[in-house]
Amino acid sequence: MPSGNGEPFTEGHVREISRSCSIASSETGLHYSVYVGAVEGEIRDHAERLHAALGAVSPRAVLVLVAPGDRQLEIVTGKDSSRRLSDRACALAALSMTTSFSGGDLVGGITTGLRMLSEAAGRELPAARH
Amino acid sequence: MRSRLVTAVVAALASVVVVATPALALDDGEGKGKPLGAGLVIVIYVLIPLGAFLVIAFFSTLPSMLRRPRYRPGRAWKHDPLWFGGPDDPDSALSSARPGATGRGGASAEW
């Protein structure tokens, strides 16, 4: 892990992002995870490794990787979450996030993106009756 | 008739003289007052404006001093990674994770 140079977020920011994460997760039944940090190698590979590292929840996980240093963003969906969240919906959320990021608003971009992803995924349907 | 004329002329002249009296008097600025000392000049014309400048500058930068260093696009990011909703033990979870194992879709973007 690289050495830290002061905390990038205030406690309030951290709480805000975790709350957005848990609200999105509880509203949709998917597992939302946000990683903010430097990227090692290709961003897609790194994001997929992070997604795989989520373990048992990874099929229904949505991983958002934000690399502020490289100015790159990657969203990875799993087997189940990709059925609820189309690549197009992810791209729309990504566009909205990068707009905030380019204005210097990391926290706002992340929370907006999570909200958009959660709205796009919609609510979990009750177990189908056959 | 003549005395009336004299009275009128005298009255007209007198009113002009009376009105013009302040203009004939010495102007306020013409009398030299006590000179300011060099120290007082420096205080009034240098230190007080400088002080006002510093006070305004302080209050205008106060909000940004209280805030954390803000993210600026293009600057290097030297902070520890933060993982929200990540695994309990990220290092060991990442050591066994392979790209492409679970990812199915998504999107990427740059700014």
Side-chain angles (χ1 to χ4, degrees), chain B residues 47-100:
Chain B
L47 294 185
I48 290 178
L50 208 64
F53 171 78
L54 290 178
V55 166
I56 293 168
F58 172 73
F59 280 108
S60 64
T61 53
L62 189 65
S64 61
M65 284 196 313
L66 292 179
R67 243 182 279 133
R68 294 288 168 116
R70 183 174 177 231
Y71 166 66
R72 296 202 190 282
R75 292 257 183 96
W77 185 262
K78 292 183 185 123
H79 304 290
D80 288 335
L82 265 174
W83 201 346
F84 301 89
D88 295 331
D89 187 359
D91 288 328
S92 68
L94 270 175
S95 64
S96 58
R98 294 281 162 268

Side-chain angles (χ1 to χ4, degrees), chain B residues 8-24:
Chain B
V9 168
V10 166
L13 285 177
S15 69
V16 167
V17 170
V18 165
V19 167
T21 306
L24 295 174

Side-chain angles (χ1 to χ4, degrees), chain B residues 23-42:
Chain B
L24 295 174
L26 214 56
D27 211 359
D28 275 348
E30 280 177 42
K32 285 192 178 170
K34 265 191 295 174
L36 290 173
L40 209 54
V41 167
I42 290 175

Side-chain angles (χ1 to χ4, degrees), chain A residues 20-85:
Chain A
S20 300
C21 248
S22 45
I23 288 174
S25 301
S26 64
E27 277 184 354
T28 57
L30 300 176
H31 179 86
Y32 285 83
S33 179
V34 177
Y35 183 94
V36 185
V39 171
E40 299 154 17
E42 276 292 306
I43 185 165
R44 182 70 196 178
D45 289 349
H46 188 77
E48 288 189 355
R49 271 187 68 211
L50 293 171
H51 190 269
L54 294 172
V57 292
S58 58
R60 56 184 184 87
V62 180
L63 183 108
V64 180
L65 166 55
V66 182
D70 304 293
R71 298 163 83 169
Q72 284 184 311
L73 167 75
E74 190 75 36
I75 301 175
V76 181
T77 50
K79 189 160 77 69
D80 300 334
S81 51
S82 64
R83 273 194 229 125
R84 305 262 306 275
L85 262 178

